[in-house]
């Protein structure tokens, strides 16, 4: 949360990682434990995968609809990844933050750069795999993609990782439970900052300081 004019606004978190690093699984695990966080649902033109729910995992739209929304200025950020478009609703995000809700954006480095320019107070986190070999095993273990697609994802991972030093925090996802605890600690620490706690517990502090 951010304190401005005696009002608490939500904190925007940006989380990025190469495909296969485990950011989605980590975020889901942390969100199950922290009710103060809300995951932004991106709009995308990619095909809906088995088990995914429209409006929960993504807002699935056609390319034509996406381009129309883009022309209307509906997105805070957008990017083309592996031939598909992804975007974050600016109106929804601003509404959540203004109401004091902390929001997590799960986006790639291109989107993260756009968000940082528009919202420089956001907190950004990058998640790395423990090795190239492990990343490859995770990608092949999904059983969803061809070797050609996996090779493309490995190449894209290298390009993504080159931007890790643009972020505020870095997590290595070697042991899932350790990485989850590290990610959770970032969110918890932000919620305990002095200005936020002073406003949240103003009555308590005044009572403790009263003579």
């Amino acid at each position: 949360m951010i304190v401005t004019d005696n009002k608490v606004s939500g904190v925007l978190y940006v989380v990025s990682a190469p495909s296969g690093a485990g950011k989605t699984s980590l975020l889901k695990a942390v969100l199950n434990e922290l009710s103060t966080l809300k995951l932004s649902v991106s709009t995308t033109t990619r095909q809906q995968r088995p088990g995914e729910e429209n409006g929960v995992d993504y807002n699935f739209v056609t390319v034509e609809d996406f381009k129309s929304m883009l022309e209307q200025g509906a997105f805070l950020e957008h990017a083309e990844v592996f031939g598909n478009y992804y975007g974050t609703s600016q109106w929804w995000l601003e509404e959540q933050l203004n109401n004091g809700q902390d929001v997590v954006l799960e986006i790639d480095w291109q989107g993260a750069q756009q968000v940082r320019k528009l919202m420089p107070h956001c907190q950004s986190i990058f998640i790395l795999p423990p090795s190239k070999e492990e990343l490859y095993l995770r990608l092949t273990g999904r059983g969803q993609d061809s070797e050609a697609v996996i090779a493309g994802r490995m190449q894209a991972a290298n390009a993504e990782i080159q931007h890790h030093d643009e972020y505020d925090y870095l997590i290595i996802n070697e042991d899932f439970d350790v990485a989850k605890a590290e990610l959770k600690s970032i969110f918890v620490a932000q919620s305990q900052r002095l200005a936020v706690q002073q406003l949240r517990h103003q009555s308590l502090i005044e009572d403790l300081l009263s003579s």
Side-chain angles (χ1 to χ4, degrees), residues 128-138 154 172-174:
L128 286 173
S131 66
K132 288 183 179 179
E133 292 75 18
E134 178 61 25
L135 181 62
Y136 178 79
L137 289 174
R138 292 177 184 178
M154 289 294 294
I172 312 300
N173 184 18
E174 180 172 10

Side-chain angles (χ1 to χ4, degrees), residues 40-44 57-60 77 86-89 106-107:
S40 174
V41 180
S42 297
T43 299
T44 184
D57 297 286
Y58 287 96
N59 294 313
F60 294 97
E77 62 79 28
Y86 295 82
T88 299
S89 170
E106 184 183 352
I107 55 179

Side-chain angles (χ1 to χ4, degrees), residues 6 14 28 38 40 60 84 105 116 122 155 157 159 165-166 208:
N6 207 35
V14 173
K28 284 184 177 180
K38 181 179 288 188
S40 174
F60 294 97
N84 298 304
L105 296 185
R116 275 193 294 266
C122 71
Q155 185 174 4
D165 57 356
E166 299 171 7
L208 291 170

Side-chain angles (χ1 to χ4, degrees), residues 191-208:
S191 69
Q192 306 305 309
R193 286 178 301 153
L194 177 62
V196 174
Q197 289 288 70
Q198 283 179 321
L199 187 57
R200 183 186 293 150
H201 301 290
Q202 184 175 357
S203 297
L204 169 64
I205 294 171
E206 289 176 352
D207 180 64
L208 291 170

Side-chain angles (χ1 to χ4, degrees), residues 7-81:
K7 177 184 177 183
V8 177
S9 299
V11 173
L12 177 61
Y13 297 95
V14 173
V15 181
S16 304
S19 179
K23 71 179 183 300
T24 300
S25 298
L26 285 169
L27 280 173
K28 284 184 177 180
V30 172
L31 286 165
N32 284 335
E33 298 181 5
L34 292 179
S35 59
T36 56
L37 288 174
K38 181 179 288 188
L39 183 65
S40 174
V41 180
S42 297
T43 299
T44 184
T45 60
R46 78 158 171 78
Q47 290 295 311
Q48 189 171 345
R49 293 171 181 168
E52 290 183 331
E53 185 177 347
N54 187 34
V56 176
D57 297 286
Y58 287 96
N59 294 313
F60 294 97
V61 299
T62 64
V63 173
E64 291 74 18
D65 286 342
F66 190 97
K67 289 182 177 180
S68 176
M69 295 169 70
L70 188 60
E71 290 175 357
Q72 297 170 24
F75 299 121
L76 173 70
E77 62 79 28
H78 69 280
E80 183 179 358
V81 184

Side-chain angles (χ1 to χ4, degrees), residues 148-166:
V149 170
I150 291 172
R153 291 187 182 277
M154 289 294 294
Q155 185 174 4
N158 181 272
E160 183 101 18
I161 292 170
Q162 290 182 35
H163 294 271
H164 77 277
D165 57 356
E166 299 171 7

